[in-house]
Amino acid sequence: MKVVVIGAQWGDEGKGKIVDYLAEDAKYVVRYAGGPNAGHTIVVDGKQYALHQVPSGILYPDKSVFLGAGMVIDPEALFNELQMLKDNGINWEGRVFISDRAHIILPRYRQMDKDRDAARKLPIGTTGRGIGIAYSEKAERDGLRLADLDWAEKIAEYDGEDKAFLDKYKDKLIEMRVDLTAKMYEFRNDNILFEGAQGAMLDIDSGTYPYVSSGASCAAGAATGCGIGPHDLDNIMGVFKAYQTRVGNGPMPTEFNNESEGELCEYVRKTGREYGVTTGRARRCGYLDLVALRYACRVNSLDSLVLTHLDIYDTFDEIEACTAYEIDGKLVTDFPASVEAMEKAKPVLQKFKGWKASLKECRSYEKLPKPARDYVEFIEDYCKTPVSIISVGYERDETFIRKNPWSK
């Protein structure tokens, strides 16, 4: 069984926690896109782990994890992350592998990334980790893959700081290098969990271009980034929060108004810990955008949704969600490709009764207060996609399953 977990919004939906939760029943976990710009936070027994390139399943001592072909790898950041895990008692040696088709981020890419964004008339708000440069080099066919590290003719293209950097990490990377397609075929009868990065609305093709990431954060990226075909994906799950956040620039129709809704924004941001794991930047916050969520369900063929941060609304008398946009006086219910149209969009909000109760102890759907169930069921009906898992806190056990993702 092969299960895919993607972000169904603009990233930061809680994928790391959900992958960690589902990894208990997987034998292997594969990260298929992105690089050190991702930030997946996991809390186990009150201890927090911030992962950027290593798949979330690494916290289980009996799991092997793979960094996929669709990723761009920063060796320096990767080995710092692995050292952090070792310092925290996580023995990773012999359990972390990298696809030989993954590309490498060189140190100079970081400054190039920042310079390129600063030179744009409409900056994207990049994390400055060199991600975009690495993907650009890949698309231009000038990139460096792990498969090329012992190709003398290719390595001869690099000198100075680049060569010193590669010399430092080359042997370590070669030791971890694998043919991922061969491995996926070898493990075809095992449970494999595929972990996405960023979110569906940041995908290079289906996201809010040009305010997107440079990789394939869509569900299809799980196939292209892991060396398998799309028919081998059995279950695709999209993680979303009970509200909306975004980091960096780009349209976000449901963003809270700082003047009239500043207090609401600050409460959601503080209670939801809405600060970037990678950058520390405060995230933009807003109402749940159901127009965008339904679009993510359709464009990614989501089998089910995973709802996180539902407990953030525990103290509210009522909550609101966006069910349509008003653009130039017209009601719009399909997600536009035009950034100009999105920037004009005003959210059409629907009110829902709050539940005024703590959800922290709920361990089944039936235990949720009726107003919380009503909110969930409205989302399901609007998106025509079931909610199969609900998270009501940061801890691993503050989660419950409505439908087992590992059963067809």
Side-chain angles (χ1 to χ4, degrees):
M1 185 79 175
K2 298 178 181 65
V3 174
V4 181
V5 175
I6 72 165
Q9 295 169 313
W10 277 284
D12 309 308
E13 304 94 346
K15 295 181 297 298
K17 176 196 168 171
I18 299 304
V19 169
D20 170 73
Y21 183 77
L22 296 178
E24 183 176 7
D25 294 315
K27 190 168 183 181
Y28 306 101
V29 181
V30 187
R31 170 85 180 273
Y32 66 81
N37 57 337
H40 295 173
T41 303
I42 303 162
V43 180
V44 181
D45 297 330
K47 191 170 186 176
Q48 180 172 302
Y49 300 87
L51 301 175
H52 300 278
Q53 296 183 90
V54 180
S56 302
I58 193 64
L59 298 185
Y60 290 91
D62 58 335
K63 314 293 178 186
S64 292
V65 302
F66 296 83
L67 282 68
M71 289 187 67
V72 287
I73 310 297
D74 180 333
E76 181 179 17
L78 173 63
F79 286 106
N80 286 340
E81 189 173 327
L82 292 172
Q83 186 61 49
M84 176 275 292
L85 288 169
K86 188 173 183 178
D87 292 343
N88 282 277
I90 307 297
N91 181 22
W92 63 267
E93 283 91 346
R95 298 196 296 123
V96 179
F97 305 94
I98 311 172
S99 168
D100 54 8
R101 296 178 185 271
H103 280 247
I104 292 172
I105 299 172
L106 296 172
R108 58 185 167 87
Y109 289 3
R110 298 173 201 153
Q111 192 59 48
M112 290 170 66
D113 199 358
K114 294 173 185 175
D115 292 344
R116 179 177 291 184
D117 202 43
R120 291 185 173 106
K121 291 183 178 180
L122 298 172
I124 292 168
T126 172
T127 60
R129 296 299 192 273
I131 308 298
I133 303 299
Y135 277 116
S136 294
E137 293 287 289
K138 175 181 178 177
E140 292 175 0
R141 292 154 294 181
D142 291 320
L144 178 68
R145 307 173 303 162
L146 266 77
D148 306 328
L149 288 174
D150 42 13
W151 178 14
E153 187 177 358
K154 179 67 178 178
I155 293 299
E157 296 177 8
Y158 299 90
D159 55 20
E161 291 182 3
D162 287 347
K163 185 178 186 304
F165 180 78
L166 293 171
D167 286 345
K168 181 177 180 180
Y169 293 107
K170 183 174 75 171
D171 290 342
K172 291 181 181 180
L173 291 171
I174 288 174
E175 285 180 13
M176 299 166 70
R177 185 179 68 184
V178 296
D179 180 337
L180 188 55
T181 296
K183 288 294 182 184
M184 292 299 95
Y185 185 77
E186 179 185 345
F187 304 145
R188 64 191 179 279
N189 296 320
D190 295 310
N191 282 351
I192 305 176
L193 185 60
F194 297 108
E195 175 182 11
Q198 286 79 50
M201 307 311 294
L202 292 173
D203 179 74
I204 187 70
D205 291 308
S206 54
T208 50
Y209 188 91
Y211 299 99
V212 292
S213 189
S214 300
S217 51
C218 60
T224 59
C226 295
I228 62 173
H231 280 299
D232 287 329
L233 305 179
D234 299 302
N235 186 7
I236 303 172
M237 311 177 73
V239 185
F240 75 105
K241 284 187 285 210
Y243 50 94
Q244 201 86 23
T245 65
R246 181 166 192 164
V247 172
N249 301 328
M252 182 180 169
T254 65
E255 186 170 9
F256 295 136
N257 184 299
N258 280 333
E259 292 183 8
S260 60
E261 298 168 319
E263 189 175 334
L264 172 60
C265 180
E266 190 56 33
Y267 177 85
V268 170
R269 181 177 289 145
K270 184 177 180 181
T271 310
R273 305 182 193 179
E274 297 299 349
Y275 298 90
V277 178
T278 301
T279 63
R281 289 184 292 184
R283 296 174 185 142
R284 299 158 62 190
C285 300
Y287 301 105
L288 174 62
D289 188 335
L290 289 170
V291 180
L293 184 62
R294 181 168 63 185
Y295 168 74
C297 290
R298 291 172 175 175
V299 79
N300 291 285
S301 298
L302 295 186
D303 293 298
S304 69
L305 288 163
V306 178
L307 172 56
T308 66
H309 290 66
L310 185 59
D311 54 301
I312 300 303
Y313 285 138
D314 282 355
T315 62
F316 284 52
D317 293 316
E318 64 178 19
I319 58 180
E320 295 179 273
C322 171
T323 56
Y325 304 142
E326 182 188 316
I327 302 176
D328 293 329
K330 296 179 181 179
L331 198 67
V332 175
T333 56
D334 288 321
F335 193 80
S338 166
V339 168
E340 184 180 25
M342 287 291 291
E343 288 175 340
K344 293 178 182 177
K346 298 177 182 178
V348 177
L349 300 173
Q350 180 162 330
K351 296 182 186 295
F352 299 86
K353 182 182 177 183
W355 41 90
K356 303 289 287 184
S358 174
L359 303 185
K360 284 281 188 184
E361 305 306 318
C362 293
R363 293 298 179 269
S364 72
Y365 186 69
E366 292 69 30
K367 295 291 184 181
L368 290 177
K370 187 177 184 303
R373 298 199 306 271
D374 290 342
Y375 185 54
V376 173
E377 287 160 21
F378 182 89
I379 294 169
E380 291 181 313
D381 183 63
Y382 186 96
C383 295
K384 298 296 183 284
T385 307
V387 174
S388 60
I389 298 177
I390 296 176
S391 168
V392 292
Y394 293 98
E395 289 284 353
R396 189 183 273 172
D397 65 349
E398 292 174 333
T399 314
F400 57 85
I401 292 178
R402 297 177 71 195
K403 183 181 183 299
N404 182 2
W406 295 106
S407 62
K408 291 188 179 180

